[in-house]
Amino acid sequence: MRFPRGLVVPLLALAAAEAAMRLSGLESDSIAPPSAIARAFATALADGTLLQATGETLGAAAAGLGLGGGAGLLLAIALGLSPALARLMRVPVDAFRPIPSVALIPIALLAWGFGFPMEIAIVSFACFWPMLIIGQAAIAGIEPRLLEVARVLRLSLPARIGKIVLPAALPRLFVAFRLATAVSLIVAVTVEITTNPLGLGYGLMQAQQALEPDRMFAFLLWLGLVGWGLNALLLVAQRRLFGRAGWVAEEVR
Amino acid sequence: MKQGGELPWWIASIGVALGIVLLWQVAADRGWVSPIFLPGPDRALAALREGFAAGGDLTLHVTTTIEHMLYGWVLASVIGIALGALIGSSRRTRDYLGPTLEFIRPLPASAIAPVAIAFLGLSQPMVLAVIAFGSVWPTLLATAHGVASVEPRLIEVARALRLSRLQVMFKIALPNAVPDILAALRYGLTVALILAVVGEMLAGQEGLGHRIILAARSFRSPDLFAGVILLGLIGFTSNALLAVAERRLLRWQGR
């Protein structure tokens, strides 16, 4: 086995942090030695708070991804199949897309108050765009001869979409789905950090405000693991499902 | 498609957009949606006019948000290009740092905000640190990728010409990475605007992020919508400007 060079830097950093904190005997409200962070992580894992917060965050992210991503996919199919509709919607899409999703937090707060619905609404808005933009390009880029075949076979519209359009665009649609998944987690955590008293983002914020840096870094590390794991999982799925096609879809993105 | 054939479509598309605004107005006037959180476009525009009139505070908040976004973005871009060039140019640094960076990258940038608050307090530097941390990744990774993917024959040419490492970097590797870097810079600016809003919401000082949260807390929905419209405009304009710059700078590619 090759020498795992990638592990050197994080391990050295951890050891240096531990040694520096021990030797200086520093008591701080903003930083904690790695050993204390590990203890806080074990505590949060044992008393269930960590897993509950993870469930809340992932639940809101998944619901928003389903709603917003689904709506984005539907519109992507419509705009991808009809160039006329795509041209008509150009200005509205360009006008709404640049609105930062976080700017909608106060509006959702007025409409729904704290809780899951407002978080899901914002995640939906954020996930709608990557699905729409990449999906539309994917569907508009389908080999025209496939659509001609569909016409010759006199397939109905649902059959045309289900049997020709979606399978042909699937590798690139999966890339869009992967991006939207990353966006859903990012936006869910952001909503929790700024306003919503739920999930991992709120757990992080709470630990900071309670001046418990060990707990804060434990949550942060866990959040990093969750994000990394989710991304790795989807990358493996993409490679398994689409092989070379997935790789090509990534390149032309 | 001919140029002349596009114009009617643009006009029609603008018509669709105006139709949506009209629908919004009707929905607000008829009370289909509670006016507490959906003011009509007329009231949002009035709030905009008032905010920019003498004695209004919108000019201050808009410039603050744009400043936050730009400072954080410039900081992130400089760090991203420098670190990216360093990492991309050597296989060894890639081996040592790559996995660590791959782990940090998917971390939601706003998650660093509590840590930044712990170190810097609810302050301007905290906002800038969060923006810089979040928008450094696209630029860093794109630069590393662009620098690492130089055509091998160009490297052979450089060796034949006995160029120093620094010369190779500035004459061959970085120019090779320019298209990647420009695209990443544009994306980084979008991220910077989002994080500027997040930072301002948390820091509670100046800026549109703070203003729209305040407007929501006191149920002033026209002010809230005015702020959201301005944020959309800032996002649209900054993206459009960088897209133009990108096209001009990449003209040599001649597709």
Side-chain angles (χ1 to χ4, degrees), chain B residues 193-218:
Chain B
L193 178 61
I194 293 175
L195 291 173
V197 175
V198 171
E200 287 163 2
M201 281 178 172
L202 291 171
Q205 291 171 333
E206 285 158 3
L208 285 171
H210 175 55
R211 195 177 190 273
I212 56 177
I213 275 280
L214 273 192
R217 285 203 190 121
S218 46

Side-chain angles (χ1 to χ4, degrees), chain A residues 5 87-88 91 110 190 193 208, chain B residues 1 9 13 96 110 114 219:
Chain A
R5 288 176 163 177
R87 286 197 199 115
L88 280 179
V91 173
L110 274 185
T190 306
I193 281 182
Q208 190 274 317
Chain B
M1 206 161 298
W9 284 108
S13 187
Y96 278 111
S110 52
F219 296 95

Side-chain angles (χ1 to χ4, degrees), chain B residues 72-92:
Chain B
W73 175 71
V74 168
L75 200 63
S77 305
V78 172
I79 299 173
I81 292 174
L83 272 183
L86 204 69
I87 291 166
S89 64
S90 137
R91 183 152 189 122
R92 195 174 302 161

Side-chain angles (χ1 to χ4, degrees), chain A residues 88-109:
Chain A
L88 280 179
M89 289 304 288
R90 206 153 38 184
V91 173
V93 166
D94 282 349
F96 280 103
R97 190 160 71 115
I99 299 177
S101 47
V102 289
L104 300 181
I105 291 176
I107 298 180
L109 198 58

Side-chain angles (χ1 to χ4, degrees), chain A residues 72-87 89 132-144 146-148 150-151 155-169 173:
Chain A
L73 179 62
L74 285 181
L75 193 57
I77 293 172
L79 300 192
L81 289 181
S82 158
L85 205 57
R87 286 197 199 115
M89 289 304 288
L132 171 64
I133 304 298
I134 304 175
Q136 184 186 341
I139 288 166
I142 292 175
E143 166 69 51
L146 285 176
L147 295 176
E148 279 165 30
R151 210 164 301 137
L155 293 180
S156 65
L157 186 65
R160 201 159 18 130
I161 293 171
K163 291 187 173 151
I164 307 272
V165 173
L166 287 183
L173 289 180

